[in-house]
Amino acid sequence: MVDGANPGGLLVDYVHDLLASFGYDVKIEVYPWKRAIDAARDGSVDVIFCAEAGQATTYGLNYEFPILVSDTILISHKNYPLEANQLWDHRIAVGAGYWYGDVFESRRSDVETIEVVDDHTILRMIASQRADAGLMEKAVADSLMHTYPELGELLYISKQPVATQTFYFATSPETKVDMRHLRRHLAIADPVPIIQQLTAASN
């Protein structure tokens, strides 16, 4: 979440507090995903967080520890509820820049239509039935449905996730952070990732 120029939210607080406890003065910026990857690769930034392990490996980053375990859910209209296994052969809206796991990626051709939009638009498209369903991380959906209860009342969340992803705190190969110092602190702190997963009470 960004309030003016200042990013905030669970992940920002988590990373800020963790690095501050290690003695680092933390400056967090929000970049488009490709720019974030490029900045980490060339050392313009020391750390990129919310990197999926495969992305880190592909782009030559070092993933240090998990910061978030998050379910990707299928959201549909309450009058036409869909479960995760009914994802295929429907008009699906997905959030820009999201990655949903090997199962979804390998079956993209089985989806009738994919429209890439922002998260709020996903909710509005499903509520107006311009899309049969949408894919979104659970934590994002929870926040949006709380912010826009008039939309939340029209929506149904699948009882099973489409995918469960682990996102990592990854470091640039050109980082200026003292990694021996950081890893020594990590060994002591043994940080536990934030877990955002479906429960029986999700709906």
Side-chain angles (χ1 to χ4, degrees):
M1 299 183 294
V2 179
D3 180 10
N6 300 314
L10 281 174
L11 285 174
V12 168
D13 292 344
Y14 176 100
V15 173
H16 184 280
D17 291 349
L18 182 69
L19 289 181
S21 75
F22 299 166
Y24 289 105
D25 183 17
V26 183
K27 179 182 179 183
I28 296 177
E29 297 180 331
V30 178
Y31 290 171
W33 188 242
K34 184 180 185 304
R35 183 179 165 201
I37 291 286
D38 289 345
R41 293 178 74 185
D42 68 18
S44 300
V45 300
D46 295 304
V47 169
I48 181 170
F49 61 97
C50 238
E52 187 274 328
Q55 291 170 329
T57 302
T58 298
Y59 294 107
L61 308 179
N62 302 307
Y63 55 93
E64 303 297 337
F65 61 95
I67 60 170
L68 173 67
V69 178
S70 178
D71 280 343
T72 297
I73 55 176
L74 185 67
I75 303 174
S76 52
H77 196 285
K78 280 223 166 165
N79 293 343
Y80 307 96
L82 294 174
E83 290 297 340
N85 62 356
Q86 298 173 301
L87 163 65
W88 319 109
D89 301 317
H90 290 284
R91 299 165 300 159
I92 303 297
V94 302
Y98 282 6
W99 178 92
Y100 290 108
D102 293 341
V103 172
F104 177 70
E105 291 296 332
S106 68
R107 293 192 60 183
R108 272 181 182 260
S109 60
D110 296 333
V111 177
E112 182 181 321
T113 305
I114 295 177
E115 188 162 352
V116 180
V117 293
D118 66 88
D119 295 306
H120 186 201
T121 300
I122 291 176
L123 299 195
R124 289 185 297 179
M125 288 174 67
I126 297 167
S128 66
Q129 298 177 40
R130 289 194 293 123
D132 297 324
L135 293 176
M136 192 179 293
E137 287 183 32
K138 181 186 180 299
V140 175
D142 286 349
S143 177
L144 283 173
M145 291 168 76
H146 177 76
T147 305
Y148 302 99
E150 71 282 4
L151 293 177
E153 290 174 2
L154 299 173
L155 302 175
Y156 173 83
I157 294 177
S158 62
K159 291 184 175 63
Q160 298 292 326
V162 173
T164 297
Q165 300 153 254
T166 301
F167 295 97
Y168 289 84
F169 175 110
T171 53
S172 163
E174 304 297 327
T175 183
K176 300 174 185 64
V177 173
D178 181 341
M179 293 311 299
R180 290 182 63 188
H181 176 71
L182 177 66
R183 288 168 183 155
R184 189 179 309 121
H185 280 288
L186 288 176
I188 297 169
D190 192 21
V192 176
I194 300 167
I195 297 178
Q196 298 282 355
Q197 294 187 296
L198 283 168
T199 67
S202 289
N203 283 311

